[in-house]
Amino acid sequence: MGALSITGIKPGSTSLKLTAGKITKTVPITVLSRNLLSYGPAEGSGLTATVNTDGSLHVTGTATGQWRGLSWTFPCPVQGTVKLSGTSIAGLSFSIKCLDAKGQQLGDQMNLGNSVMAIPAGTVSLFLNVISNEATPTAKDGDLRIQLEYGTTAHEWMRPDNTSLKGGGAMN
């Protein structure tokens, strides 16, 4: 028996047709984004996020206070070590919290200051927030390219598979 190795080039779906003698088998193949985040349009706490055509987030508005902004909660897609990276907008911070089945935070939050972490045991969902870090928030109008990926190495930013998850307002 021989081995077959396939490397995905870009996210999407296709199929692989295998033939051995008179036997033919078609196997579906799905290549997922290495960006594990899920987000989408959101509005709250004075900020609005829309999704650009490239999948990045466009954030506008003025937060209603320090540590207020936008959030998204989605199922945790992996266990193990992850790396958080991205580009920010001056005056805004982003972080990820690991939540248990009751919505309680497990471990420390991930941000650019501690961007490599192990997902704590018992994590069932992740909470992404984009919040103002200014004592007196100022108007924002810019793009965020945030990436959470498996492992310890940051790669070039890639659009997440899910950019239609409805978000809302958040307080840290």
Side-chain angles (χ1 to χ4, degrees):
M1 295 288 298
L4 181 63
S5 176
I6 299 172
T7 302
I9 296 174
K10 64 181 183 176
S13 295
T14 189
S15 61
L16 179 64
K17 186 176 181 180
L18 303 170
T19 303
K22 294 181 180 182
I23 301 171
T24 299
K25 181 77 172 173
T26 300
V27 180
I29 305 287
T30 301
V31 177
L32 300 174
S33 172
R34 76 175 153 267
N35 191 342
L36 304 171
L37 296 177
S38 292
Y39 54 67
E43 188 172 347
S45 301
L47 296 176
T48 299
T50 55
V51 179
N52 293 318
T53 56
D54 71 353
S56 60
L57 281 173
H58 185 75
V59 180
T60 59
T62 304
T64 56
Q66 188 174 29
W67 314 126
R68 294 178 188 255
L70 304 169
S71 69
W72 298 263
T73 302
F74 54 95
C76 183
V78 298
Q79 296 295 313
T81 301
V82 293
K83 169 96 176 148
L84 179 65
S85 60
T87 60
S88 195
I89 298 169
L92 294 180
S93 298
F94 57 86
S95 66
I96 297 195
K97 296 176 184 177
C98 298
L99 305 177
D100 66 15
K102 295 181 179 178
Q104 300 300 308
Q105 183 175 337
L106 298 170
D108 294 329
Q109 72 179 18
M110 289 179 262
N111 55 46
L112 290 180
N114 64 341
S115 62
V116 174
M117 288 185 65
I119 301 286
T123 299
V124 297
S125 59
L126 299 177
F127 175 86
L128 166 65
N129 69 9
V130 175
I131 55 174
S132 173
N133 57 25
E134 298 172 315
T136 303
T138 58
K140 304 298 171 212
D141 186 359
D143 297 327
L144 293 173
R145 286 176 182 79
I146 307 168
Q147 181 155 286
L148 181 70
E149 56 191 302
Y150 189 74
T152 59
T153 303
H155 295 90
E156 183 178 328
W157 181 82
M158 179 181 274
R159 173 192 194 106
D161 290 322
N162 184 357
T163 57
S164 60
L165 178 67
K166 181 86 169 119
M171 294 186 298
N172 195 22

